[in-house]
Amino acid sequence: QVQLVESGGGLVQPGGSLRLSCAASGSFRSDAAMGWYRQAPGKPRELVATFTRGGGTNFADSAKGRFTISKDNAKNTVYLQMNSLNPEDTAAYFCNLVDWGRDKVFVYWGQGTQVTVSS
């Protein structure tokens, strides 16, 4: 079983920065893809930034130029550095891990960490 534990959310003023962390534990392939999604109240969950299985990255248009995704493979941890935050970034941020088995795809989610951007 895979567990994802996020940390780093909180309240920040517009223009500020936050760094989210997600530590993965359990059994999964070394090429499992990790990333971040978010969900604002009344809206569907949406992609923020992810690593792909091949090691590339995908970013939402809203995140490009402001957010950076990085990882520490030795710690099975992925980070999301968020700069120039604005109120529209307010949401619960969820860590995601996609793993592949024989003829199956496994998707895991963390419990979420709240990010609130407000003055």
Side-chain angles (χ1 to χ4, degrees):
Q1 186 69 13
V2 174
Q3 288 190 323
L4 304 174
V5 179
E6 302 110 329
S7 60
L11 174 64
V12 63
Q13 293 187 342
S17 298
L18 279 177
R19 187 193 193 208
L20 306 183
S21 300
C22 172
S25 62
S27 179
F28 47 90
R29 294 169 55 99
S30 60
D31 61 349
M34 293 182 67
W36 293 92
Y37 288 69
R38 69 185 182 186
Q39 187 168 19
K43 294 187 177 181
R45 192 170 296 188
E46 63 178 8
L47 168 76
V48 179
T50 66
F51 284 102
T52 66
R53 189 178 183 184
T57 55
N58 285 327
F59 285 88
D61 288 343
S62 60
K64 291 177 181 176
R66 299 188 301 130
F67 296 0
T68 302
I69 189 169
S70 61
K71 58 184 176 178
D72 185 333
N73 290 328
K75 296 181 179 180
N76 289 326
T77 299
V78 65
Y79 305 95
L80 184 68
Q81 176 68 42
M82 303 186 292
N83 300 324
S84 302
L85 286 162
N86 58 62
E88 289 70 38
D89 296 314
T90 295
Y93 283 71
F94 295 89
C95 182
N96 165 270
L97 186 148
V98 181
D99 197 10
W100 288 264
R102 184 175 180 179
D103 300 324
K104 289 184 179 180
V105 177
F106 302 92
V107 181
Y108 302 94
W109 294 96
Q111 80 285 355
T113 185
Q114 180 66 36
V115 171
T116 302
V117 184
S118 176
S119 56

